[in-house]
């Protein structure tokens, strides 16, 4: 048997860790690794058009599967392009291994062509970031990197000069069993006892949930029922907690709706469950607050805590719920449910008049139709900006659907690359990219990746020819909009020219049939929908710091807008409120 080189060993270890593909752009220092992938069964090289796409795709794959995903970039500019997608993956706790190939080892530090220093560049967006400068470091260094990414949830970066990648792997190298999943973390009995006492002493308890409630829906509902607590959520908690929720009071934050703000401010005890909600201006400062999180460094960094609980949400609630006393008083819960339903009814009235006849098309109408037509287990990837608004207000979670976006990092151009990674995990599952024209054009070259691999991603393009969220920032800052207008082509014609299905929609009556036809198409499809750039309504009292960078003031005012099918759930939940 021929002796392995370092590249072959590298690829074998990734395969053993469950990695099925590497996303990247081939070139120079990366060639030995790509060649090793070519010769290894069960491992695929996904050729994207931009390394930023590679990192976003890997991050999305990791979020869908919950397992390690990988991307790679060649030396210098190649791996430098990975950084934006790696920041997003790291802040989303997506386990990603990034290979940053490097210039020849003999030239490092001498200003060589394309020289950068990956071990410095990726420091802030990784748990582990080291260089393989000698074959004897393999496989221990790579194994350590994998275990950091999986164990801590986030990115590990391994740099490797091309000449080292081609050298023989060490004989009798130490390979050990790899960590492939994270354990649950149970709080100590003292913390559970303290939390139990606080819950029992409180008359009004509110739960505010984030992405850390994934897999804990049943436990949250059981606890809420026991203590008669309204349940609000952050944007990243929406897909995990909003569905089948008789305690739902909506979402807080700039894109929020319903009574979540009131529920978090009018309680005696606010329990933050698995959320790193960054907008502390929307959190109260005059109620007792408990935070439960699996990442201890996140405890208390948004608000002053009366109790910090280090633990997995599901395990914490499994320990806590049987110990707390059952509360019988529903007055606070019922009042919040009524406020929530009334709030949703108000915005629905404002956003349901003649929207199916309005030209240019209301983007709210597009989102509501999309929500109705998409599969029950669809994966939605959502561009940052106004598409975040439409997804937050109109997509209906059900426990099967997934909604992925750059919700923590806030990068443009994320939806199309993330759709690529999501679709590679399952070609038979419907994947819909909710793209804005600004984000789509930023990495539009990777629409060709859909065509090249015949990935059946459906790109629903909200084309308002502007950077809508930036215009909003300027508007509330008292500035005239400037530099925000896009002169766009007929994107459907561009899609057809690339070899994909493309259709342009300018009239509301054409929308349903266009989406249905695109969804039926077996390969990649793009629906270019001309939407109203003035669709977003904002309250009359809103300041610039509420919107810019989503850094919010202490006001409870949020962007106005429709709420889709959520109003039906709110009406249904009102049936649980006793009539006087």
């Amino acid at each position: 048997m021929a002796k392995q080189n370092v590249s072959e060993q590298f690829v074998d270890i990734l395969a053993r860790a469950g990695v099925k593909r590497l996303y990247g752009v081939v070139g120079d220092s990366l060639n030995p690794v790509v060649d090793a992938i070519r010769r290894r069964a069960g491992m695929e090289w996904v050729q994207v058009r931009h390394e930023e796409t590679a990192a976003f795709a890997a991050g999305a794959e990791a979020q869908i599967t919950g397992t390690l995903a990988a991307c790679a970039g060649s030396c210098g500019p190649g791996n430098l392009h990975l950084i934006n997608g790696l920041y997003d993956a790291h802040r989303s706790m997506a386990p990603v291994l990034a290979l940053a190939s490097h210039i020849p080892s003999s030239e490092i530090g001498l200003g060589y062509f394309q020289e950068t220093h990956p071990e410095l560049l990726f420091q802030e967006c990784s748990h582990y970031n080291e260089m393989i400068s000698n074959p004897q470091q393999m496989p221990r260094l790579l194994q350590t990197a994998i275990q950091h990414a999986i164990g801590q949830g986030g990115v590990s970066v391994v740099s490797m000069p091309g000449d080292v990648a081609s050298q023989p792997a060490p004989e009798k190298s130490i390979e050990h069993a790899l960590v492939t999943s994270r354990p649950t973390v149970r709080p100590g009995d003292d913390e559970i006892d303290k939390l139990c006492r606080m819950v029992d002493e409180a008359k009004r308890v509110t739960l505010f949930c984030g992405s850390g409630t994934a897999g804990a829906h049943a436990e949250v509902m059981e606890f809420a029922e026991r203590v008669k607590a309204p349940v609000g959520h952050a944007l990243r908690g929406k897909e995990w907690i909003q569905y089948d929720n008789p305690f739902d009071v909506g979402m807080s934050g700039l894109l929020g709706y319903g009574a979540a703000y009131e529920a978090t401010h009018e309680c005696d005890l606010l329990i933050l469950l698995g959320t790193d909600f960054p907008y502390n201006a929307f959190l109260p400062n005059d109620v007792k607050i408990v935070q439960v999180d699996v990442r201890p460094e996140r405890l208390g960094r948004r608000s002053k805590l009366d109790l910090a609980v280090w633990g997995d949400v599901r395990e914490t609630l499994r320990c806590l719920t049987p110990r707390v006393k059952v509360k019988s008083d529903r007055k606070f819960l019922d009042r919040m449910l009524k406020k929530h339903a009334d709030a949703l009814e108000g915005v629905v009235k404002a956003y349901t008049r003649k929207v199916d006849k309005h030209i240019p098309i209301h983007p709210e109408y597009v989102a509501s139709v999309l929500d109705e037509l998409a599969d029950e287990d669809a994966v939605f990837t959502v561009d940052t900006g106004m598409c975040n608004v439409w997804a937050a207000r109109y997509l209906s979670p059900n426990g099967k659907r997934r909604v992925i976006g750059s919700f923590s990092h806030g990068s443009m151009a994320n939806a199309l690359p993330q759709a690529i990674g999501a679709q590679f995990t399952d070609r038979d599952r419907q994947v819909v990219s909710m793209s804005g024209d600004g984000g789509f054009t930023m990495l539009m070259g990777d629409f060709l990746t859909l065509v090249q691999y015949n990935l059946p991603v459906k790109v629903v393009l909200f084309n308002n020819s502007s950077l809508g969220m930036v215009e909003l920032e300027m508007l509330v800052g008292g500035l005239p909009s400037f530099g925000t207008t896009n002169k766009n082509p007929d994107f459907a014609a561009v899609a057809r020219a690339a070899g994909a299905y493309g259709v342009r929609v300018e009239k509301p009556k054409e929308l349903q049939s266009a989406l249905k036809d695109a969804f039926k198409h077996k390969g990649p499809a793009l629906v270019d929908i001309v939407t109203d750039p003035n669709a977003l309504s904002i309250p009359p009292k809103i300041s610039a710091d509420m919107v810019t960078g989503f850094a919010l003031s202490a006001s409870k005012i949020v962007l106005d807008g429709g709420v889709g099918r959520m109003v039906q759930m709110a009406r249904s939940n009102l049936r649980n409120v006793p009539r006087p």
Side-chain angles (χ1 to χ4, degrees):
M1 182 176 177
K3 183 176 175 58
Q4 277 190 323
N5 65 22
V6 171
S7 291
E8 291 165 335
Q9 188 181 55
F10 190 98
V11 172
D12 281 351
I13 292 170
L14 287 184
R16 203 155 55 84
V19 174
K20 294 180 172 61
R21 60 191 64 84
L22 264 75
Y23 303 88
V25 178
V26 70
D28 46 70
S29 57
L30 193 55
N31 291 344
V33 175
V34 177
D35 186 61
I37 295 171
R38 177 184 64 83
R39 292 181 280 107
R40 196 193 193 285
M43 182 70 74
E44 182 179 12
W45 174 256
V46 178
Q47 177 188 344
V48 297
R49 303 305 174 101
H50 195 295
E51 289 91 350
E52 183 174 340
T53 296
F56 271 122
E61 179 180 322
Q63 290 179 68
I64 292 292
T65 64
T67 59
L68 186 70
C71 58
S74 58
C75 66
N79 63 60
L80 186 58
H81 284 156
L82 295 171
I83 197 164
N84 198 41
L86 294 184
Y87 261 96
D88 183 80
H90 194 57
R91 300 185 73 178
S92 301
M93 292 182 66
V96 171
L97 188 287
L99 170 60
S101 67
H102 208 345
I103 63 172
S105 56
S106 61
E107 303 301 324
I108 294 174
L110 298 174
Y112 191 73
F113 176 65
Q114 293 189 323
E115 181 174 8
T116 58
H117 292 86
E119 68 277 15
L120 300 178
L121 288 168
F122 298 105
Q123 197 64 39
E124 194 178 28
C125 63
S126 64
H127 292 302
Y128 186 85
N129 178 21
E130 296 290 348
M131 183 170 66
I132 300 174
S133 56
N134 187 304
Q136 297 301 319
Q137 293 173 274
M138 282 287 288
R140 291 175 298 159
L141 191 146
L142 179 57
Q143 291 170 157
T144 301
I146 289 170
Q147 291 176 176
H148 273 78
I150 295 172
Q152 296 188 34
V155 171
S156 283
V157 180
V158 174
S159 307
M160 183 163 62
D163 58 313
V164 174
S166 299
Q167 292 178 30
E171 294 183 10
K172 299 180 180 179
S173 57
I174 301 172
E175 294 191 25
H176 56 70
L178 292 167
V179 170
T180 56
S181 62
R182 299 180 65 197
T184 56
V185 178
R186 180 197 182 281
D189 288 335
D190 286 348
E191 283 71 30
I192 294 295
D193 289 342
K194 290 176 185 175
L195 179 52
C196 184
R197 286 194 297 271
M198 293 178 72
V199 173
D200 288 345
E201 291 170 1
K203 293 182 178 180
R204 301 182 300 276
V205 179
T206 293
L207 309 181
F208 187 68
C209 303
S211 60
T213 58
H217 184 276
E219 287 76 11
V220 173
M221 296 303 108
E222 182 183 1
F223 181 72
E225 169 59 37
R226 196 169 182 89
V227 300
K228 306 302 182 286
V231 178
H233 59 269
L235 178 55
R236 290 191 67 199
K238 174 184 172 74
E239 63 178 324
W240 305 114
I241 215 68
Q242 186 191 31
Y243 68 96
D244 296 339
N245 182 355
F247 313 98
D248 179 55
V249 291
M251 189 172 85
S252 191
L254 182 67
L255 310 185
Y257 49 80
Y261 182 93
E262 287 82 356
T264 56
H265 283 70
E266 296 180 25
C267 59
D268 297 326
L269 177 64
L270 173 62
I271 304 179
L272 307 175
L273 293 175
T275 178
D276 195 36
F277 183 71
Y279 312 125
N280 54 8
F282 274 86
L283 294 173
N285 54 20
D286 57 353
V287 304
K288 289 184 178 180
I289 299 179
V290 174
Q291 184 178 359
V292 180
D293 206 291
V294 74
R295 297 279 285 266
E297 70 273 18
R298 293 182 174 178
L299 295 170
R301 70 180 184 181
R302 307 300 182 199
S303 59
K304 181 181 178 181
L305 299 182
D306 294 273
L307 180 63
V309 180
W310 180 12
D312 175 88
V313 170
R314 184 171 61 178
E315 292 303 313
T316 300
L317 292 181
R318 283 178 175 177
C319 296
L320 175 66
T321 301
R323 301 192 192 186
V324 300
K325 296 175 183 177
V326 176
K327 295 185 187 295
S328 58
D329 187 348
R330 289 183 53 102
K331 290 179 183 177
F332 176 60
L333 170 61
D334 293 341
R335 183 162 59 87
M336 291 301 111
L337 291 176
K338 180 68 165 58
K339 277 193 173 186
H340 179 59
D342 290 346
L344 297 196
E345 291 282 1
V347 295
V348 165
K349 289 175 183 176
Y351 275 79
T352 53
R353 291 195 298 266
K354 299 181 180 179
V355 293
D356 57 343
K357 297 181 175 64
H358 182 86
I359 298 175
I361 302 170
H362 268 311
E364 300 96 329
Y365 178 62
V366 178
S368 65
V369 173
L370 176 60
D371 180 56
E372 292 174 6
L373 296 181
D375 289 349
E376 288 297 293
D377 66 343
V379 177
F380 299 91
T381 60
V382 183
D383 259 343
T384 296
M386 297 317 305
C387 284
N388 266 203
V389 179
W390 316 137
R393 299 284 175 79
Y394 287 91
L395 294 186
S396 302
N398 57 14
K400 299 177 184 178
R401 287 178 167 180
R402 293 299 312 274
V403 181
I404 295 175
S406 188
F407 300 137
S408 296
H409 185 48
S411 172
M412 287 180 65
N414 61 286
L416 174 62
Q418 289 177 328
I420 291 171
Q423 193 72 83
F424 263 110
T425 67
D426 185 350
R427 285 178 173 269
D428 294 325
R429 189 175 186 180
Q430 187 181 74
V431 176
V432 179
S433 172
M434 293 177 64
S435 298
D437 57 290
F440 179 74
T441 52
M442 192 176 281
L443 285 174
M444 188 167 65
D446 269 294
F447 187 77
L448 300 176
T449 302
L450 301 183
V451 177
Q452 181 165 333
Y453 289 94
N454 196 31
L455 292 174
V457 169
K458 313 307 176 192
V459 178
V460 178
L461 188 59
F462 289 71
N463 180 6
N464 63 2
S465 297
S466 72
L467 302 177
M469 187 61 78
V470 180
E471 285 195 352
L472 176 59
E473 292 171 0
M474 292 179 171
L475 174 65
V476 298
L479 303 173
S481 60
F482 181 77
T484 59
T485 302
N486 297 325
K487 184 176 181 180
N488 290 328
D490 180 336
F491 288 110
V494 173
R496 292 192 297 270
Y501 180 94
V503 61
R504 185 174 173 91
V505 179
E506 298 180 354
K507 299 178 181 178
K509 65 181 180 181
E510 302 168 347
L511 180 62
Q512 284 214 18
S513 60
L515 287 174
K516 286 179 180 179
D517 289 345
F519 288 167
K520 288 178 184 176
H521 183 70
K522 298 297 183 183
L526 183 146
V527 184
D528 179 10
I529 306 168
V530 180
T531 58
D532 187 351
N534 301 312
L536 184 66
S537 165
I538 61 172
K541 294 181 180 179
I542 187 167
S543 61
D545 62 349
M546 293 181 188
V547 180
T548 304
F550 283 18
L552 308 180
S553 77
S555 172
K556 68 177 181 178
I557 299 174
V558 297
L559 296 177
D560 200 2
V563 290
R565 288 190 283 177
M566 285 181 284
V567 69
Q568 285 138 15
M569 187 175 73
R571 289 169 183 156
S572 177
N573 287 344
L574 276 182
R575 296 171 192 161
N576 300 320
V577 178
R579 301 295 179 187

